[in-house]
Amino acid sequence: MLEKNVWKRAAAVLLAAACFFWELGMAGQAAAERRPVLRVGVTFMTAKDSGGVDAQAYDKVMKDYVRVLASYAGMDVEFVAGSIPENIARLERGEIDMIPDLVITPERSAVLDFSRLPTGVEPMTLYLHGGSARLDEDGRAPLRLGFLRGVYAGPVVDMAMQGEVLPHTEQMFDTTQDLLQSYEAGTLDGISFGSWPDPRYEPAVMFDAEMTYFAVKKGNTALLDRLSLAQDQLVLARPTFLADTLHQRESEASQAPLMLSRRERAYLRMHPQLRVLVVANERPYAYLDENGELAGAMKAVADQLASDLGIEIETLPYTDYESAYQAMQEGKADFLLNMFVDPEWGAERGLDQTASFMTSYFTAVTRRSGLPKHPVIAALDNRLAKELLQQHFPGQEIAAYPTIEACLEAVRQKKADVTYIRQSSAQYQTMRGDYPDLVASGRISMQKGIAMAVPKSQDSTLLRILDKEIRHMGDGVIEAYYAEENARSLSERSAFSYFYSYPQYVVLAIFAIAFACGFAFWRYRAMRHENEAHMQSLIDHDHATGLHNAEWLEREGTALIARDRVGASERAVVVLRIVRPDVLIGTYGREAVIAFFQRLGSQLEVANYPELIGMRADGAEILCLTHPVTRDELSVRLSGLLRANEYLEVGSMLVRVPLQAGVCYLGEPPMDIRAAINDADIAAHGEEPVQFFSGRLQQETMLTTRMESLQRQALERQEFQIWYQPKYDLATRRCIGAEALVRWQSAELGFLPPGKFIALFESNGFISDLDFYNLEQVMKFQREAAEKGLPVVPISVNQSRAHMREQGYLRRMQALVDQYTTQGIELELTETAFDFADRALREHSLAVVAALHAMGFAIDMDDFGSGYSDLSLLNQLPLDVMKIDRSLLLASEGSERMCIVLQQMIDLGHALGMKVICEGIETEAQENLLRRCGCEYGQGYLYGKPMPRKEFEAFLQIHA
């Protein structure tokens, strides 16, 4: 017998060891699959904006660059915010792995290793009270300038100060907040904190553009080599990635300020009038009006230059580039306003080019009959234009013409087959209708930047002024002009341009002339009909799916009902929608969703109950107007359709697509189709997969809409009231606490229980503001109760899971703690606050709760036992109170096994040092059951219902 027991124990030990090593191997495999994390120190600044709210501004461009770089290195990224000195110290201590944007200095090179390739550029902007005008003041005292310690300022700083004749004293600050406070208080005349222009302050001058590099800890060659290789691969694969992201940031920002140096402003004062040469031979780009004066987009640019620089601009128009270049060499103008970007071409003519201030896109214009195999190209008589065409179309015959109109006429008269002109010119000519037998392809065949040019004999100061003005001006001036010109060209369109002209019929008899005119008119009408039919088809169809759109269905449905009202009451509008299409698009791409709707549309087209089918792409919905059909038959057919389209095949995967159908019958008399679509859409957002519209749905929708419109106003008017439900000791029946519950006493909607609005507020995000309001009201109550001498018992306040992902949540909670106290305050959280599929989000939620507990809040686990309780949370969270859900109590009333579960759960809470409270006690039998199971505290209608503040204060005086 003894030997048999020994063998059993040995087998058990071997089995346990095998399980242990299997789990260890699985854990090792999971760890191997995780990518290493690159901890990146990013620079931030904290300031007070005009509203008095803390603002953290991170460099999104640099963070995007780091994310892509880390992806190439096979790593994930974790950003750690801090100032430059803080991040360098963290890097030396090994708390972070890399800083992405540092200027190399000897001091930094001693403790850090830098990348070979740069990661960006960091200019310095000097802000002064009064802006750049402050630099022109004479006889001033030295300016008091503030700088941020740790932000690199190279030798260019002092050179720039001397160039501005700027005597100054310097004061260093450790934090951006202290620097800005001193500046706003007037104790500093100017500041610089090494960033792009900040719209809150007046910039005076920008200088010292230094290249930045990423840095790692000295000696960390493995990481440096890994990131350097990834950086090199990124440059090869995406050579313009960093430049494109920087350009995108600048294009999305507000208009760049015009900051001119002292020398540049002096130049403008010495040259109050500048002569500008403009090549004007193409409308609306640049042309001469009926008075011989310059007009077009270049005139708008010249006017903007004069306005921004505060000078007079004398424009000298020329009709060809070669004459313009010759005039520039003869010194007849100070600069050339418009020439193609080609520095080599400009240098050959003694010209220095500015940055491009616009891009010209060229499109092909041909006869409607199309192109022959070897087309002849009509081009402007311009050497650069012809060379550009020869580069793009080698071997093609090119014929030169003096103007754009001549090129178009050559194509029209078949002397040439195609001409390439600016899209703006093609659009202008199309709107005027002077060449109805020609058509523009609309595709971009070529593109070329347009720049200004300054003679090399000129002072280079003018070149810098023009470059700064180009950056300040942006694209808005030219875009606004073209929009205005297009509108004007429509008004100038002649009636004769709608007809073809055939002069050879003039010599014929009246009959021949009439026949020719009739034929021309018929041809024009035929072409117009084709174009209108094509345009109407574009208007009536969804361009992505190819299905008819909702507007077409509404129009055709209305006409159908007007023609045939028999059986209209049995017709229905059906809306089929994808629930959360944004998730599908973000995960599997828009093409997958488009393919799904195309398949669904094909199935509806072959079904016998839809008569009209339309697509509403903006809401990811497909609509149909049915033949007369009964409610039961339609319900069966729609249910079958939903089942048939429950899954979408993406590659080799089957992806579940949550579909819902809403139905609205037209009724008698038939309702408006648009109204029926709206009602069906409301039904499609209901609870059932196939939902028929009813008055109840309409009322619920109206109530939801009304509550959303009133929620902010209700919070400001303090219509949300805190009611208190007492908690009690099951043995002494004394009140030992309460739970704060919210009610809405609306001036417009009356009294609303939480079940009416909590779910809505959780879905639209308003629950965050409401939670903070409730918590502050309870904190005020506790403080006032203590001042009145009332018993102070712990009160628990619910916190939504939305706070776990809310930025600034802990900061706002700390502000409340500083204003009041955490004494007598408990925070109730449910397990759903940690139910995140993403492990990082779950760990973040656990860290948030730990921080709340550290502030002094007691933490309650609410609704414990209501679902699949995660017992690991009891170990990971600093819980003070376990609240057992009422469902467990109800299940234990008629089941001995559930009583054992309930008792074990209570014992578990006590063993972990938590108070255990059971909620939902409504009978004495339930109370006795809990006492037998060892539960100490309870909450429920048996002891006390939720009550308003005054009733609760009276209740406390009696029962506490």
Side-chain angles (χ1 to χ4, degrees):
M1 188 66 178
L2 178 62
E3 183 179 356
K4 188 175 183 180
N5 290 335
V6 169
W7 281 107
K8 285 184 177 180
R9 291 178 182 176
V13 170
L14 289 175
L15 180 59
C19 292
F20 171 77
F21 285 111
W22 181 83
E23 291 180 358
L24 186 63
M26 292 300 292
Q29 180 181 356
E33 292 175 354
R34 289 196 296 269
R35 299 202 304 182
V37 176
L38 180 67
R39 300 167 300 172
V40 180
V42 292
T43 306
F44 69 88
M45 69 175 186
T46 301
K48 295 284 185 179
D49 60 19
S50 58
V53 180
D54 284 335
Q56 287 188 335
Y58 292 90
D59 190 343
K60 182 180 182 301
V61 170
M62 186 52 60
K63 292 176 75 174
D64 289 346
Y65 177 81
V66 171
R67 288 189 180 97
V68 176
L69 178 64
S71 298
Y72 268 63
M75 306 176 77
D76 290 327
V77 180
E78 177 182 308
F79 292 106
V80 179
S83 64
I84 291 178
E86 289 174 343
N87 283 333
I88 292 177
R90 289 171 179 162
L91 192 58
E92 294 182 36
R93 294 194 301 266
E95 296 174 4
I96 58 176
D97 303 310
M98 185 259 268
I99 302 175
D101 52 351
L102 284 181
V103 176
I104 299 177
T105 67
E107 295 80 5
R108 294 173 180 173
S109 296
V111 295
L112 305 175
D113 285 334
F114 288 87
S115 61
R116 178 176 59 86
L117 299 177
T119 59
V121 62
E122 181 70 15
M124 293 191 69
T125 303
L126 178 65
Y127 303 92
L128 292 176
H129 294 298
S132 58
R134 187 78 179 272
L135 300 175
D136 294 328
E137 298 177 0
D138 294 323
R140 59 180 178 268
L143 295 177
R144 299 163 299 173
L145 303 183
F147 294 88
L148 192 62
R149 197 185 310 279
V151 175
Y152 173 72
V156 180
V157 175
D158 289 334
M159 294 168 57
M161 299 296 185
Q162 295 169 8
E164 291 290 345
V165 192
L166 188 64
H168 66 282
T169 60
E170 297 181 4
Q171 182 177 351
M172 307 304 294
F173 291 82
D174 292 321
T175 67
T176 306
Q177 185 172 359
D178 293 341
L179 175 69
L180 296 180
Q181 285 178 349
S182 298
Y183 182 60
E184 292 169 358
T187 58
L188 292 174
D189 298 307
I191 56 171
S192 179
F193 42 87
S195 66
W196 295 89
D198 191 319
R200 296 173 300 174
Y201 306 109
E202 295 182 273
V205 63
M206 182 183 287
F207 51 83
D208 196 18
E210 292 284 345
M211 302 303 295
T212 61
Y213 302 80
F214 74 72
V216 301
K217 185 178 180 180
K218 194 73 173 180
N220 193 353
T221 55
L223 179 60
L224 181 63
D225 292 344
R226 183 172 186 171
L227 294 179
S228 296
L229 177 60
Q231 189 182 32
D232 188 68
Q233 293 170 339
L234 177 58
V235 170
L236 293 175
R238 307 186 196 178
T240 64
F241 175 73
L242 185 57
D244 292 343
T245 51
L246 289 169
H247 177 72
Q248 180 181 357
R249 180 178 73 171
E250 185 161 322
S251 64
E252 292 175 354
S254 57
Q255 185 181 33
L258 180 61
M259 292 184 286
L260 301 179
S261 67
R262 186 183 182 92
R263 180 175 180 178
E264 291 161 355
R265 292 190 300 277
Y267 180 91
L268 293 177
R269 287 194 295 271
M270 294 176 60
H271 301 81
Q273 184 181 50
L274 293 177
R275 299 164 301 164
V276 180
L277 195 150
V278 185
V279 179
N281 59 1
E282 184 176 350
R283 183 169 183 171
Y285 170 67
Y287 64 98
L288 300 180
D289 61 15
E290 58 275 8
N291 299 321
E293 299 292 332
L294 177 67
M298 293 302 101
K299 177 62 165 61
V301 172
D303 292 344
Q304 189 66 38
L305 284 173
S307 174
D308 290 343
L309 300 179
I311 59 174
E312 292 184 9
I313 295 290
E314 179 187 357
T315 56
L316 307 175
Y318 280 70
T319 57
D320 67 279
Y321 279 97
E322 293 303 327
S323 299
Y325 297 146
Q326 182 65 33
M328 291 298 299
Q329 292 172 357
E330 294 173 359
K332 294 182 179 180
D334 297 300
F335 67 93
L336 174 63
L337 187 62
N338 57 327
M339 70 177 297
F340 289 123
V341 173
D342 191 330
E344 180 180 0
W345 180 272
E348 292 175 357
R349 284 150 183 76
L351 300 174
D352 290 326
Q353 290 190 340
T354 66
S356 171
F357 65 89
M358 68 171 287
T359 301
S360 285
Y361 299 97
F362 293 84
T363 188
V365 178
T366 64
R367 293 184 296 277
R368 293 183 181 273
S369 58
L371 284 173
K373 185 174 182 180
H374 299 289
V376 177
I377 302 174
L380 283 174
D381 190 8
N382 177 312
R383 179 180 173 186
L384 181 58
K386 288 187 287 187
E387 287 187 2
L388 186 64
L389 288 170
Q390 288 170 354
Q391 291 175 6
H392 285 80
F393 308 102
Q396 299 291 338
E397 181 182 350
I398 299 176
Y401 293 91
T403 64
I404 290 295
E405 288 75 12
C407 291
L408 293 170
E409 192 62 33
V411 175
R412 181 179 184 179
Q413 295 180 6
K414 300 184 180 181
K415 296 178 182 179
D417 301 299
V418 62
T419 184
Y420 293 90
I421 63 176
R422 287 181 174 86
Q423 277 192 330
S424 57
S425 299
Q427 185 176 15
Y428 170 78
Q429 298 294 347
T430 301
M431 286 188 174
R432 282 185 57 85
D434 293 338
Y435 303 94
D437 48 347
L438 302 184
V439 60
S441 70
R443 296 187 299 271
I444 297 175
S445 302
M446 300 176 291
Q447 65 182 60
K448 195 71 175 175
I450 305 298
M452 304 176 195
V454 177
K456 292 183 179 294
S457 59
Q458 270 278 12
D459 188 340
S460 62
T461 302
L462 178 58
L463 183 67
R464 295 195 300 273
I465 292 174
L466 294 177
D467 270 329
K468 290 183 178 181
E469 167 60 17
I470 288 171
R471 182 169 180 265
H472 169 70
M473 181 171 55
D475 301 328
V477 175
I478 295 174
E479 291 176 355
Y481 172 79
Y482 279 143
E484 179 183 349
E485 182 69 16
N486 289 340
R488 183 165 54 250
S489 63
L490 282 174
S491 65
E492 296 174 356
R493 192 169 188 173
S494 62
F496 181 75
S497 65
Y498 288 99
F499 300 94
Y500 285 99
S501 175
Y502 297 94
Q504 62 269 30
Y505 290 106
V506 175
V507 297
L508 298 178
I510 296 175
F511 175 79
I513 294 174
F515 176 80
C517 292
F519 177 79
F521 180 73
W522 171 84
R523 178 62 177 157
Y524 160 74
R525 292 299 300 271
M527 290 177 60
R528 181 170 180 175
H529 178 74
E530 291 175 2
N531 290 336
E532 287 178 350
H534 178 65
M535 289 298 296
Q536 190 63 49
S537 177
L538 293 177
I539 293 172
D540 290 342
H541 284 79
D542 175 65
H543 72 279
T545 61
L547 300 172
H548 284 101
N549 55 32
E551 290 75 15
W552 173 87
L553 184 143
E554 180 183 337
R555 185 181 69 249
E556 294 298 317
T558 301
L560 176 64
I561 299 302
R563 291 194 306 268
D564 182 14
R565 302 181 68 88
V566 177
S569 62
E570 296 299 317
R571 293 181 183 270
V573 171
V574 178
V575 173
L576 294 160
R577 61 178 287 268
I578 293 179
V579 180
R580 294 300 304 274
D582 54 323
V583 175
L584 283 177
I585 292 173
T587 306
Y588 304 105
R590 183 175 297 276
E591 292 75 14
V593 177
I594 291 173
F596 175 80
F597 276 114
Q598 288 173 334
R599 185 184 74 184
L600 189 60
S602 299
Q603 294 177 5
L604 287 171
E605 287 175 350
V606 299
N608 59 4
Y609 59 93
E611 184 162 354
L612 300 176
I613 302 171
M615 179 72 197
R616 188 152 61 184
D618 58 346
E621 297 175 346
I622 194 166
L623 322 175
C624 67
L625 176 65
T626 71
H627 291 287
V629 61
T630 65
R631 178 185 177 118
D632 292 341
E633 181 184 355
L634 184 58
S635 178
V636 170
R637 291 181 177 276
L638 290 176
S639 298
L641 183 67
L642 297 188
R643 287 193 300 272
N645 291 277
E646 186 175 2
Y647 292 96
L648 169 66
E649 186 173 353
V650 181
S652 59
M653 297 186 302
L654 285 179
V655 179
R656 185 176 182 277
V657 180
L659 269 178
Q660 285 185 300
V663 183
C664 177
Y665 275 91
L666 300 185
E668 186 62 40
M671 65 189 303
D672 180 70
I673 295 294
R674 177 176 294 182
I677 291 175
N678 293 335
D679 291 346
D681 188 63
I682 292 173
H685 287 77
E687 299 176 354
E688 300 297 328
V690 178
Q691 183 81 55
F692 288 82
F693 179 78
S694 64
R696 178 184 61 82
L697 276 177
Q698 187 175 29
Q699 291 175 359
E700 291 178 355
T701 302
M702 292 175 61
L703 178 60
T704 298
T705 303
R706 188 66 173 144
M707 286 192 296
E708 279 197 295
S709 66
L710 293 173
Q711 61 187 22
R712 183 66 57 186
Q713 185 179 8
L715 191 65
E716 294 171 354
R717 296 190 301 199
Q718 296 189 349
E719 291 182 352
F720 294 103
Q721 301 175 357
I722 307 300
W723 286 35
Y724 301 87
Q725 185 174 25
K727 304 172 186 177
Y728 69 106
D729 188 311
L730 297 180
T732 64
R733 298 190 64 80
R734 303 298 299 175
C735 179
I736 53 91
E739 179 180 0
L741 304 169
V742 66
R743 304 291 188 266
W744 185 358
Q745 184 62 55
S746 172
E748 293 82 5
L749 304 176
F751 183 81
L752 298 174
K756 288 288 188 180
F757 56 85
I758 290 297
L760 170 65
F761 292 170
E762 287 180 341
S763 65
N764 66 19
F766 184 67
I767 191 68
S768 175
D769 291 339
L770 182 59
D771 277 357
F772 278 108
Y773 170 85
N774 295 341
L775 180 58
E776 185 171 7
Q777 295 300 312
V778 173
M779 286 180 159
K780 285 181 181 179
F781 172 80
Q782 291 289 61
R783 183 172 65 184
E784 292 171 2
E787 292 172 353
K788 293 178 181 179
L790 293 174
V792 177
V793 296
I795 299 178
S796 58
V797 185
N798 288 286
Q799 293 289 285
S800 169
R801 78 190 297 259
H803 295 301
M804 298 299 104
R805 302 178 69 172
E806 178 182 344
Q807 290 189 355
Y809 172 59
L810 290 177
R811 185 176 67 249
R812 293 181 68 180
M813 293 294 284
Q814 185 62 55
L816 286 177
V817 173
D818 294 340
Q819 185 177 358
Y820 300 99
T821 178
T822 59
Q823 183 178 0
I825 301 296
E826 299 176 357
L827 300 180
E828 285 196 10
L829 299 167
T830 63
E831 291 179 76
T832 58
F834 313 96
D835 185 19
F836 292 109
D838 189 284
R839 180 174 180 179
L841 288 176
R842 178 185 172 93
E843 292 178 353
H844 172 72
S845 301
L846 296 174
V848 168
V849 175
L852 292 172
H853 195 266
M855 292 180 192
F857 290 106
I859 306 299
D860 298 5
M861 177 58 75
D862 195 14
D863 298 338
F864 195 79
S866 60
Y868 296 97
S869 299
D870 188 350
L871 296 181
S872 66
L873 293 177
L874 300 178
N875 176 53
Q876 295 172 309
L877 291 174
L879 298 175
D880 301 288
V881 179
M882 176 192 291
K883 289 192 72 174
I884 297 177
D885 189 70
R886 181 172 182 265
S887 61
L888 190 57
L889 174 61
L890 294 177
S892 302
E893 284 189 285
S895 171
E896 287 297 329
R897 295 175 64 88
M898 288 307 299
C899 280
I900 295 173
V901 173
L902 175 62
Q903 183 173 352
Q904 292 298 320
M905 192 171 293
I906 293 170
D907 292 342
L908 176 62
H910 288 155
L912 294 176
M914 291 185 285
K915 290 182 180 180
V916 180
I917 297 176
C918 186
E919 55 186 356
I921 304 174
E922 296 183 354
T923 67
E924 292 182 359
Q926 292 173 344
E927 185 180 73
N928 294 332
L929 173 62
L930 289 170
R931 279 201 297 267
R932 289 196 304 272
C933 290
C935 185
E936 300 169 300
Y937 308 109
Q939 176 184 344
Y941 278 24
L942 178 64
Y943 184 72
K945 297 181 179 180
M947 58 192 74
R949 172 173 175 162
K950 290 184 178 180
E951 291 183 22
F952 182 62
E953 288 177 349
F955 185 90
L956 281 177
Q957 291 178 333
I958 298 173
H959 298 279

